[in-house]
Amino acid sequence: MIHLKNAAYRYPGRHGIAPWALDRIDLDVRQGEYVVIFGPNGSGKSTLISLFNGLVPHFFGGDFSGDALVCNRLVSETPPAVLSRQVAVVLQNTDAYLFCGTVEAELLFGLERSPIPAPQFGRTIQETLSFFGIEHLRYRAPHDLSGGEKHLAAIASALCLKPPIVALDEPFAHLDAPNRGRLRQALAAVHRSGTTVIVAEHLVDDFLLDADRCLVMESGRVTFDGTPKAVLRPLKETGLVPRYPQPTEDTFPFARESLLELSNVTFRRDGRPVLDKVSFTLKAGERVAVTGPNGSGKTTLVKILGGLLKPHHGSALWCGEDIHGMPPAKRVRHIGVSFQNPNDQFFKVRVEDEVWAGPKLLEKKGIAADRDWIEHLFDLFGLRPLAKQSPYRLSEGEKKRVAVASVLAMNPQVLVLDEPTAGQDGRFRRELAELLPRIVRSRGIALVVVTHDTDFARAVCSRRLVLDQGRLVEDRSMVPTAEDA
Amino acid sequence: MEWEPVPAPRPGARLDPRVRLFLGVLIITAVMLTRTRPALIGESLLLALGLMAFGRGKIRRSSLHLIWPTVGTVFVISLLAFGLEIAADLSHRLVNLFAASVLFFQTLTPEELAVALRSMKVPYPVIFMLLTALRYVPLLGRTLRNIYDAQTARGIDVRLRLTNVPRLTALLMPLLVQAFMLAENLAMAMESRGFSRPAQSEPQRHPFTLRDLVWVVLGILAFAGLLFWERRGP
Amino acid sequence: MQTRQIARAVIFVALAVALSPIFIPVGIAKCFPAQHMINVMSAVMLGPGYAVTVAAVAAVIRNLLGLGTLLAFPGGMIGALLAGLAYKATKNMYAAAAGELVGTGVLGALVSVWIVAPVFMGKTIPLVTLMTAFSISTLGGTVLGLAALHLLRKGGLWQP
Ligand SMILES: Nc1ncnc2c1ncn2[C@@H]1O[C@H](COP(=O)(O)OP(=O)(O)OP(=O)(O)O)[C@@H](O)[C@H]1O
Ligand SMILES: Nc1ncnc2c1ncn2[C@@H]1O[C@H](COP(=O)(O)OP(=O)(O)OP(=O)(O)O)[C@@H](O)[C@H]1O
Ligand SMILES: [Mg+2]
Ligand SMILES: [Mg+2]
């Protein structure tokens, strides 16, 4: 099905700057195989997948050498318009992938461009949707769907043309456990029907049990090729499955004052409660993980903690003062929030300006910045070598570090992070898991981390809040007990 | 089940989109050509009838917010310059014009417009732009909201004030960067999903019904009648 | 590559519509910069043909969604065309900005006046006041558009 020999590729304009994105790869994928590709950020997983349907080199340009045969066609001579009939690629960004008005229109878009005759469209759509169990989404608009539903709709629209090969780029990254389970079953069913399935992922999860074969990539090369059982060792050795530091107990070298107090916080959207009577207090030195399924209100809670939303009922107080009512310049020195997408905050063309942007603004208002601390942050987050670069051109892990550092630069007493690990490789997750508790201990701040990654939460946090449909259903300590050991 | 173009226009339930496009353009042109007061009043009555018949529950409030300021400005300026009578006529005409365009646009769904344009041989990329851009409007709106929140959370005041204009780059830059990345990803998705393969099976055409034809003829007659009546008048 | 151009045009349309309700208060007037900013950017990045199409499709969508009136057509398309032609002739983005200013602030305003009050085309001097409403928006939008192009170039995301 897929046959690569000595395949090498470099993105345009990267001559002499960057190494090859794909570096002399030899690979054979047989029909009906289920292949999972692991590798750190920037190792070339997405590039390899784009090679399968000809986006590399036809869409991106750049230098390509070696042989690549997909379904007996030379990739270097076949444009994506032709190859995409054999290879359905589902991109990581489902918002870009689903560009029609309804799920039905998504499927029709492909069908209209296939040899399938029009009278069969209705039946094909019906069959495909019921195969994935999403008939109820048929007339829904893609932007109303949850993350998991978007992925299922994307896969359905790719598969209704029955291509022999389907390749997915990080389909599990932003999904909660139930959605991951649904997606895993859907992929297993596709695989059973004889389709070749290729998945690029960071997460090591149950879906690995269904796979036939695993690859590990590093700097554009395939460094491991073997069975899913054998892959765990190289993944651990290279740090892609993070070996988290031992969870620690809270230590309190400082007065344990309570910083944040939420009582009976209710927040509604469109008349429906997104947060329902949530109450808890947060003390200095605490490390709290907030977990819960997609859509349970975690990000909304973060926005309330950051004073961006005002609860409809109940109160959110900082040391007895209403958070939403505080002047922003004062609020940011107490509560620092870093949202999921680091691209939301970059607006300077150099990393150091980005980190200094907040403190500089405060200085204009006559509030001195803690220069030593900010300089220390550059070392702590390893930003010295990047200081003069443009933040848009960094890798995802580096972007995340800059974003967190620029919030910490204001020296807040509470740090709130929304999904800091989604789409990040194991090495970065481990670094962050070491760094965060250290900052908490040395500065005596409180930490709130929203995450779907239970291992990360266990390594970093000492207390867990679980949200479900807006209600706080669990609030307990996560300090390791004898049975965990 | 037979496949039907999206959305399925049940024959007989609504006029053919092409006919409605034609009638809409005709009505707007007619309003633009009228000058005399009796004709204006006649049009107002017809438009009011049309809005009541077709616009029930479909007209968005937000369009009124846009119309009244413009009409008000025109009224005040022409009142100062030409006097009450002319000012009243001008504003009346403008109201008619806006009513005609509201009647036309807001009873038409984007999909119907696309079907009409497609059968009028408008190049496919333009239709694709229309439908796809609609899908991304809410997404970009949400992105802007997220950027606003992220910047506010780190103490950058980006409220839309004249004094904050130098700081608006903090909104503009992340938005444009993400829009660019979205455009790149969209292009990749379009290529991956076979955008450059021409559609092999065109959607079914709905033939003109007799009713469609009657409406076209009625429209043309009314248009000609109105012009004739107006020109002949004093 | 044509696909890339179309994808960019789609996103420009979506931006123009999504940002169209946003205004900056300037005294008693309001500056609605979105469409004019997009005009300058699409003229420079995509050329006159796409720029006009972007403006036209954005105007249609704004009318469909009740976010704009008929005046969105002359208020956007003429500026886009002139900006695109000016950039194509000179390869200078200040020329594109000038094209947008003339196209919207003068020609677009005149066409709007003609739509609003055809009877008084001869003696429209008072109605020229209407033009200020256009001019504030196009001025703000053009400045933002130029700033955006500069920033994108400095950030390494776009080369002329
Ligand atoms: N469009 C592009 N233009 C230039 N360079 C690129 C482009 N896309 C990726 N690269 C570079 O190519 C290399 C491989 O990137 P790729 O996206 O394939 O990695 P990846 O393994 O998918 O990473 P991630 O896990 O972050 O998705 C990286 O060094 C990256 O910076
Ligand atoms: N801007 C918005 N407008 C309308 N509804 C929204 C908005 N943002 C979120 N919601 C809705 O509020 C609910 C809670 O959303 P929230 O983003 O807080 O969930 P979450 O727990 O962070 O989910 P995820 O794990 O997917 O990030 C969801 O049902 C969502 O659809
Ligand atoms: Mg990738
Ligand atoms: Mg969330």
Side-chain angles (χ1 to χ4, degrees):
Chain A
M1 284 263 117
I2 295 174
H3 178 79
L4 306 184
K5 192 152 174 50
N6 241 338
Y9 175 72
R10 186 164 52 197
Y11 281 98
R14 300 238 128 186
H15 192 87
I17 311 171
W20 293 79
L22 296 179
D23 192 2
R24 282 164 288 150
I25 290 187
D26 294 319
L27 177 68
D28 269 299
V29 178
R30 284 184 305 280
Q31 178 167 12
E33 262 186 322
Y34 188 155
V35 185
V36 182
I37 308 174
F38 291 109
N41 290 122
S43 57
K45 302 183 296 296
S46 303
T47 312
L48 184 62
I49 285 189
S50 307
L51 175 63
F52 296 152
N53 74 342
L55 287 184
V56 164
H58 298 285
F59 177 77
F60 290 109
D63 316 322
F64 178 77
S65 69
D67 293 325
L69 268 178
V70 172
C71 295
N72 297 321
R73 287 169 197 270
L74 265 179
V75 172
S76 52
E77 285 165 14
T78 322
V82 177
L83 267 183
S84 59
R85 217 176 259 162
Q86 318 291 330
V87 189
V89 168
V90 180
L91 301 173
Q92 187 174 353
N93 183 344
T94 44
D95 277 322
Y97 193 82
L98 300 171
F99 49 67
C100 303
T102 60
V103 173
E104 183 185 57
E106 299 291 348
L107 272 70
L108 271 176
F109 182 87
L111 287 171
E112 282 180 8
R113 282 160 185 75
S114 73
I116 300 174
Q120 287 176 26
F121 287 180
R123 214 187 58 226
T124 314
I125 291 176
Q126 188 66 40
E127 279 172 8
T128 313
L129 291 180
S130 65
F131 184 84
F132 292 103
I134 51 172
E135 291 113 316
H136 57 289
L137 304 181
R138 181 165 179 163
Y139 299 108
R140 293 264 297 276
H143 68 89
D144 286 340
L145 303 181
S146 76
E149 291 169 337
K150 275 187 204 162
H151 272 285
L152 287 177
I155 296 171
S157 60
L159 280 168
C160 71
L161 310 176
K162 308 221 164 33
I165 304 175
V166 53
L168 301 103
D169 201 352
E170 299 193 26
F172 294 98
H174 293 273
L175 302 188
D176 57 9
N179 275 318
R180 285 209 289 267
R182 274 167 61 185
L183 188 59
R184 176 195 163 188
Q185 282 170 9
L187 287 182
V190 170
H191 176 226
R192 272 197 303 277
S193 72
T195 311
T196 309
V197 180
I198 300 170
V199 174
E201 252 309 331
H202 287 298
L203 275 172
V204 177
D205 200 31
D206 295 342
F207 72 93
L208 210 52
L209 300 174
D210 305 328
D212 301 323
R213 185 174 163 195
C214 287
L215 306 178
V216 178
M217 291 187 71
E218 179 91 67
S219 342
R221 316 207 55 168
V222 175
T223 53
F224 172 89
D225 185 349
T227 61
K229 279 211 186 70
V231 80
L232 287 174
R233 241 192 67 199
L235 282 181
K236 278 192 181 134
E237 275 166 7
T238 52
L240 290 177
V241 169
R243 249 176 301 183
Y244 286 121
Q246 274 301 310
T248 50
E249 295 217 23
D250 286 339
T251 45
F252 305 106
F254 31 79
R256 234 194 133 175
E257 67 213 292
S258 60
L259 299 175
L260 281 175
E261 200 164 335
L262 266 67
S263 56
N264 280 324
V265 166
T266 299
F267 188 82
R268 284 187 295 263
R269 281 191 201 277
D270 312 324
R272 193 173 53 95
V274 172
L275 286 178
D276 195 2
K277 301 211 179 84
V278 173
S279 315
F280 64 91
T281 45
L282 191 64
K283 296 198 172 98
E286 270 191 313
R287 294 161 288 149
V288 179
V290 179
T291 61
N294 288 122
S296 53
K298 303 183 294 296
T299 302
T300 311
L301 180 65
V302 167
K303 287 188 177 170
I304 284 183
L305 292 181
L308 298 166
L309 297 175
K310 185 175 167 50
H312 289 121
H313 281 294
S315 58
L317 305 178
W318 160 265
C319 297
E321 202 178 332
D322 180 33
I323 302 177
H324 183 78
M326 269 194 236
K330 181 175 174 199
R331 191 165 60 211
V332 295
R333 281 175 297 137
H334 298 314
I335 305 166
V337 181
S338 175
F339 286 99
Q340 187 171 344
N341 186 352
N343 291 319
D344 282 348
Q345 36 175 277
F346 296 154
F347 69 108
K348 299 282 185 187
V349 286
R350 288 195 313 182
V351 166
E352 59 183 358
D353 298 339
E354 191 60 45
V355 175
W356 273 99
K360 285 243 168 81
L361 267 177
L362 289 183
E363 277 185 343
K364 273 195 202 144
K365 297 207 166 124
I367 302 158
D370 187 345
R371 289 180 173 270
D372 295 338
W373 164 240
I374 296 174
E375 291 303 318
H376 182 55
L377 274 177
F378 276 96
D379 294 325
L380 215 53
F381 282 83
L383 301 180
R384 287 257 173 256
L386 311 175
K388 305 272 183 243
Q389 289 188 30
S390 160
Y392 315 108
R393 302 233 122 189
L394 301 178
S395 77
E396 288 306 308
E398 289 164 344
K399 279 183 186 173
K400 199 82 212 180
R401 274 191 288 213
V402 176
V404 175
S406 69
V407 168
L408 274 172
M410 252 106 46
N411 204 0
Q413 283 151 288
V414 179
L415 177 64
V416 186
L417 304 176
D418 195 359
E419 305 206 19
T421 56
Q424 305 289 355
D425 62 18
R427 292 172 194 166
F428 175 77
R429 296 208 295 270
R430 196 193 111 110
E431 273 172 32
L432 203 61
E434 278 179 355
L435 205 54
L436 290 175
R438 214 158 74 214
I439 294 174
V440 170
R441 259 196 308 279
S442 65
R443 312 288 297 184
I445 64 174
L447 175 70
V448 179
V449 181
V450 172
T451 183
H452 288 298
D453 185 341
T454 40
D455 294 333
F456 180 80
R458 196 170 301 133
V460 174
C461 297
S462 53
R463 176 176 165 197
R464 183 166 71 182
L465 306 180
V466 180
L467 283 178
D468 192 4
Q469 298 188 354
R471 272 191 299 275
L472 190 61
V473 292
E474 191 182 314
D475 177 357
R476 68 186 182 96
S477 159
M478 287 210 296
V479 180
T481 55
E483 67 186 287
D484 287 337
Chain B
M1 190 189 97
E2 271 297 281
W3 177 76
E4 288 176 304
V6 190
R10 272 150 284 122
R14 307 192 69 169
L15 282 180
D16 187 288
R18 279 166 290 177
V19 175
R20 297 209 284 150
L21 196 63
F22 175 75
L23 288 178
V25 173
L26 208 62
I27 295 174
I28 293 176
T29 323
V31 176
M32 280 175 65
L33 290 177
T34 38
R35 283 153 197 224
T36 59
R37 198 173 301 158
L40 282 175
I41 293 172
E43 266 168 19
S44 290
L45 289 176
L46 286 178
L47 283 169
L49 274 180
L51 281 173
M52 274 194 281
F54 301 109
R56 260 168 298 133
K58 290 200 196 112
I59 307 297
R60 292 170 204 248
R61 283 280 179 76
S62 57
S63 40
L64 299 180
H65 296 303
L66 291 166
I67 289 174
W68 296 125
T70 318
V71 173
T73 320
V74 167
F75 181 78
V76 170
I77 294 174
S78 46
L79 179 71
L80 294 177
F82 309 117
L84 182 64
E85 212 158 302
I86 292 178
D89 275 353
L90 272 185
S91 327
H92 187 182
R93 188 171 164 281
L94 198 58
V95 171
N96 276 2
L97 194 62
F98 285 151
S101 72
V102 164
L103 178 64
F104 167 51
F105 276 112
Q106 301 203 359
T107 56
L108 198 67
T109 67
E111 289 81 10
E112 283 171 334
L113 186 59
V115 170
L117 293 178
R118 208 162 166 171
S119 55
M120 284 161 46
K121 300 276 185 290
V122 172
Y124 179 67
V126 175
I127 299 167
F128 180 83
M129 274 164 69
L130 176 75
L131 290 179
T132 314
L134 265 172
R135 144 109 175 78
Y136 287 113
V137 169
L139 186 77
L140 287 173
R142 203 176 309 159
T143 308
L144 184 65
R145 181 81 233 170
N146 287 342
I147 294 170
Y148 186 93
D149 283 348
Q151 301 295 28
T152 312
R154 61 197 277 235
I156 297 172
D157 183 4
V158 282
R159 280 169 301 171
L160 295 164
R161 303 277 157 79
L162 205 53
T163 45
N164 286 346
V165 165
R167 246 169 284 143
L168 285 189
T169 47
L171 280 187
L172 196 58
M173 194 61 187
L175 183 68
L176 290 175
V177 169
Q178 291 192 54
F180 260 63
M181 293 187 335
L182 181 62
E184 184 76 3
N185 282 317
L186 174 63
M188 283 166 69
M190 283 158 64
E191 278 291 301
S192 308
R193 296 181 58 189
F195 177 81
S196 26
R197 272 200 306 271
Q200 296 187 349
S201 38
E202 284 284 305
Q204 259 167 269
R205 296 260 174 279
H206 285 273
F208 275 116
T209 60
L210 185 66
R211 206 177 59 134
D212 292 331
L213 211 64
V214 168
W215 273 97
V216 170
V217 173
L218 274 181
I220 295 176
L221 282 180
F223 181 73
L226 188 87
L227 285 190
F228 178 72
W229 176 54
E230 198 188 10
R231 292 292 126 92
R232 193 215 48 183
Chain C
M1 174 163 257
Q2 212 210 350
T3 310
R4 213 181 238 128
Q5 304 279 69
I6 295 175
R8 283 195 178 167
V10 166
I11 299 302
F12 276 140
V13 173
L15 270 178
V17 178
L19 300 182
S20 67
I22 288 180
F23 62 84
I24 305 168
V26 184
I28 55 159
K30 292 172 178 173
C31 168
F32 288 85
Q35 181 66 55
H36 310 290
M37 179 182 97
I38 297 297
N39 277 353
V40 173
M41 292 179 67
S42 59
V44 171
M45 292 185 188
L46 304 175
Y50 277 106
V52 175
T53 317
V54 165
V57 175
V60 169
I61 294 181
R62 282 174 60 192
N63 271 291
L64 285 173
L65 299 181
L67 293 171
T69 62
L70 273 189
L71 297 187
F73 288 93
M77 287 170 68
I78 303 173
L81 179 68
L82 249 65
L85 291 176
Y87 185 77
K88 201 174 176 188
T90 61
K91 294 282 164 227
N92 179 338
M93 59 194 199
Y94 294 99
E100 159 64 27
L101 284 175
V102 173
T104 307
V106 180
L107 299 183
L110 281 177
V111 172
S112 308
V113 169
W114 177 78
I115 291 180
V116 171
V119 208
F120 302 108
M121 233 3 234
K123 31 184 171 167
T124 39
I125 315 302
L127 283 179
V128 169
T129 340
L130 249 192
M131 285 165 127
T132 36
F134 274 72
S135 306
I136 292 174
S137 295
T138 183
L139 207 60
T142 307
V143 170
L144 280 180
L146 286 177
L149 288 171
H150 272 296
L151 284 171
L152 288 174
R153 199 176 51 193
K154 265 207 292 187
L157 291 154
W158 170 73
Q159 291 93 34

